[in-house]
C-alpha cells in the first residue's frame, strides 16, 4: 500500500476495562497506515450518540470488534451499544474482524455474563474471530490479521493536495428551473400540488431476538401537512440532511407503532430513514410552490423559508 494511502477503521469496543487494550490496538492500526474513526462509550454517564456512530461505521473501510469481559449497558433496542454497532456493520459490504477475550464459562453466570456469552456465540457463527487473553497477545493478533494490503479493504483514501488560494468572488445564486416556473402555476394547480398526498417510502431496522431485518413502510402524507410540521426548520439556513432528520424524528413514533404491529415478535425499531432522493423531490416541490428557496454558502447548500 502506498505510504500516502490510508484506510479508515471503526474500532468498536466498550470503554470500561479495555482502556489500555484499546490504546494498543489503535497504535497497531496507526502503524499499519490505518485511521480509527470509532469511539467507545462509557457504561455510565454520557448519552450514547447512535446516529453519529452509525455514520462513522458507514464511513469506514473495515470494522474491528474488540470484546472484553463486559457486554455493556442494554439500550431500548434490547441489546448493548457494542452489539448494535456490530449488527449494523454486518449489514454493510465491509470486512468485519472480531477479537474476543476468553468467554465466560460455568453455569452460575449473572445477567451480563449470560448476554456476553450469547453475543460470543452469535459472533463466532457469523464472522472470522480470534480469541485473546493477554494484551500482548491481542496486539500481535491484530497486527497479523488486519492487513492493510487486503484487497477487500478497498482503495482507501489519499490526502488531498492543498488547494490554491484564490480571491473570494461573489457568485450570484442561479434559481433552478423548477423555481423559475413556480409563478407559471395557476392558483388551482398550486392548491392541488400543495395538497397532494405522497407515500413516504420509509426504511427502518426491526430488532428481534438480537438480530435485525430491514423493513420498508409506505407512509401516506400530504405535502402541506409535512411542510407545516417542518416550518420551524426553515426559519434559518438549514442543511438538507438536518431537515430530513427532523422529519424522520417527527414520523418515528408512527413508524415504530406500524412496524411493531406488522412484526408482533419484535422488541424494537430504529434507524428510521427517508431516502435522500425522495426527500430531495419533496424539497424541490416546495421550492416550485415558492415556499422555500435554496442558497449556497462556503460550498454547501442550505434551505430556508421564502417568507423570511
Amino acid at each position: 500500500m502506498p505510504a500516502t494511502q490510508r484506510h479508515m477503521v471503526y474500532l468498536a469496543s466498550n470503554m470500561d476495562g479495555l482502556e489500555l487494550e484499546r490504546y494498543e490496538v489503535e497504535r497497531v492500526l496507526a502503524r499499519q497506515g490505518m485511521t480509527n474513526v470509532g469511539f467507545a462509550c462509557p457504561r455510565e454517564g454520557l448519552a450514547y450518540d447512535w446516529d453519529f456512530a452509525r455514520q462513522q461505521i458507514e464511513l469506514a473501510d473495515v470494522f474491528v470488534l474488540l470484546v472484553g469481559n463486559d457486554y455493556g449497558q442494554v439500550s431500548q433496542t434490547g441489546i448493548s451499544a457494542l452489539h448494535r454497532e456490530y449488527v449494523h456493520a454486518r449489514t454493510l459490504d465491509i470486512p468485519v474482524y472480531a477479537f474476543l477475550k476468553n468467554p465466560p464459562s460455568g453455569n452460575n453466570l449473572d445477567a451480563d455474563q449470560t448476554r456476553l456469552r450469547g453475543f460470543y456465540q452469535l459472533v463466532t457463527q457469523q464472522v472470522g474471530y480470534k480469541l485473546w487473553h493477554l494484551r500482548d497477545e491481542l496486539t500481535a493478533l491484530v497486527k497479523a490479521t488486519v492487513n492493510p494490503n487486503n484487497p477487500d479493504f478497498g482503495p482507501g483514501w489519499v490526502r488531498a493536495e492543498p488547494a490554491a488560494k484564490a480571491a473570494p468572488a461573489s457568485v450570484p445564486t442561479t434559481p433552478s428551473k423548477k423555481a423559475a416556473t413556480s409563478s407559471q402555476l395557476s392558483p388551482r394547480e398550486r392548491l392541488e400540488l400543495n395538497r397532494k398526498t405522497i407515500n413516504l417510502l420509509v426504511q427502518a431496522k426491526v430488532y428481534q431476538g438480537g438480530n435485525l431485518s430491514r423493513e420498508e413502510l409506505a407512509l401516506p402524507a400530504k405535502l402541506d401537512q409535512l411542510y407545516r410540521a417542518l416550518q420551524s426548520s426553515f426559519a434559518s439556513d438549514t442543511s438538507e440532511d438536518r431537515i430530513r432528520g427532523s422529519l424522520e424524528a417527527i414520523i418515528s413514533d408512527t413508524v415504530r407503532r406500524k412496524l411493531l404491529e406488522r412484526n408482533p415478535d419484535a422488541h424494537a425499531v430504529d434507524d428510521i430513514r427517508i431516502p435522500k432522493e425522495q426527500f430531495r423531490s419533496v424539497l424541490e416541490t416546495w421550492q416550485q410552490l415558492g415556499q422555500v428557496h435554496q442558497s449556497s454558502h462556503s460550498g454547501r447548500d442550505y434551505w430556508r423559508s421564502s417568507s423570511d
Side-chain angles (χ1 to χ4, degrees):
M1 184 178 71
T4 57
Q5 187 173 333
R6 295 289 184 270
H7 287 106
M8 288 184 282
V9 180
Y10 190 96
L11 175 59
S13 77
N14 291 323
M15 179 179 292
D16 301 332
L18 285 176
E19 295 90 344
L20 297 179
E21 287 79 3
R22 186 177 176 89
Y23 168 77
E24 291 291 350
V25 170
E26 285 185 313
R27 189 167 67 166
V28 168
L29 295 173
R31 287 183 180 276
Q32 300 200 146
M34 301 182 183
T35 301
N36 176 36
V37 295
F39 58 95
C41 184
R43 189 180 181 92
E44 304 290 346
L46 299 176
Y48 177 61
D49 190 347
W50 165 243
D51 287 337
F52 181 64
R54 180 187 61 214
Q55 292 173 11
Q56 294 300 98
I57 295 171
E58 294 172 355
L59 184 69
D61 301 300
V62 188
F63 183 89
V64 173
L65 176 68
L66 173 60
V67 184
N69 296 320
D70 184 23
Y71 176 71
Q73 189 170 6
V74 177
S75 68
Q76 71 275 11
T77 62
I79 59 179
S80 68
L82 183 64
H83 191 160
R84 192 180 190 185
E85 291 176 2
Y86 165 76
V87 170
H88 185 62
R90 286 272 298 150
T91 68
L92 307 174
D93 187 23
I94 60 174
V96 176
Y97 295 93
F99 298 91
L100 314 175
K101 196 169 185 180
N102 291 335
S105 58
N107 298 321
N108 297 322
L109 302 178
D110 60 25
D112 186 80
Q113 291 175 320
T114 300
R115 294 190 188 98
L116 181 61
R117 185 160 69 178
F119 186 36
Y120 270 60
Q121 292 172 350
L122 178 69
V123 172
T124 56
Q125 292 169 4
Q126 294 180 340
V127 300
Y129 67 95
K130 302 289 185 181
L131 296 177
W132 64 277
H133 180 63
L134 301 175
R135 194 185 315 138
D136 291 343
E137 181 183 10
L138 169 64
T139 54
L141 288 171
V142 172
K143 185 175 181 180
T145 306
V146 188
N147 188 335
N149 295 315
N150 189 330
D152 293 336
F153 288 8
W157 60 274
V158 178
R159 182 177 179 179
E161 294 295 331
K165 292 185 178 180
S170 177
V171 180
T173 303
T174 303
S176 69
K177 291 183 179 180
K178 286 191 175 182
T181 59
S182 62
S183 61
Q184 299 175 7
L185 295 173
S186 68
R188 182 181 180 84
E189 289 173 332
R190 289 175 58 84
L191 182 62
E192 290 178 350
L193 182 58
N194 194 35
R195 293 182 176 178
K196 180 180 177 181
T197 298
I198 63 171
N199 282 321
L200 291 175
L201 301 179
V202 185
Q203 301 169 353
K205 293 178 180 176
V206 178
Y207 288 82
Q208 181 174 336
N211 292 305
L212 66 81
S213 61
R214 289 177 176 269
E215 300 257 351
E216 288 191 352
L217 177 70
L219 192 65
K222 290 184 178 294
L223 281 174
D224 57 344
Q225 294 175 346
L226 291 179
Y227 180 74
R228 285 197 297 270
L230 288 172
Q231 201 158 8
S232 61
S233 299
F234 293 108
S236 59
D237 289 340
T238 310
S239 68
E240 179 180 332
D241 286 344
R242 180 166 292 184
I243 300 170
R244 182 163 54 94
S246 298
L247 180 55
E248 289 165 348
I250 290 170
I251 66 174
S252 61
D253 288 343
T254 301
V255 173
R256 287 192 182 95
R257 175 175 54 80
K258 288 182 175 294
L259 287 179
L260 289 175
E261 289 174 355
R262 182 194 293 179
N263 301 273
D265 294 331
H267 58 268
V269 174
D270 74 348
D271 281 356
I272 296 169
R273 311 292 292 273
I274 298 171
K276 288 185 177 181
E277 296 79 8
Q278 185 182 37
F279 187 66
R280 169 53 70 101
S281 175
V282 172
L283 281 175
E284 289 177 347
T285 301
W286 288 334
Q287 185 182 35
Q288 185 180 4
L289 288 166
Q291 294 171 323
V292 300
H293 67 268
Q294 184 182 14
S295 60
S296 296
H297 309 294
S298 303
R300 298 190 62 186
D301 293 334
Y302 297 91
W303 294 85
R304 188 185 183 112
S305 171
S306 296
S307 60
D308 294 332

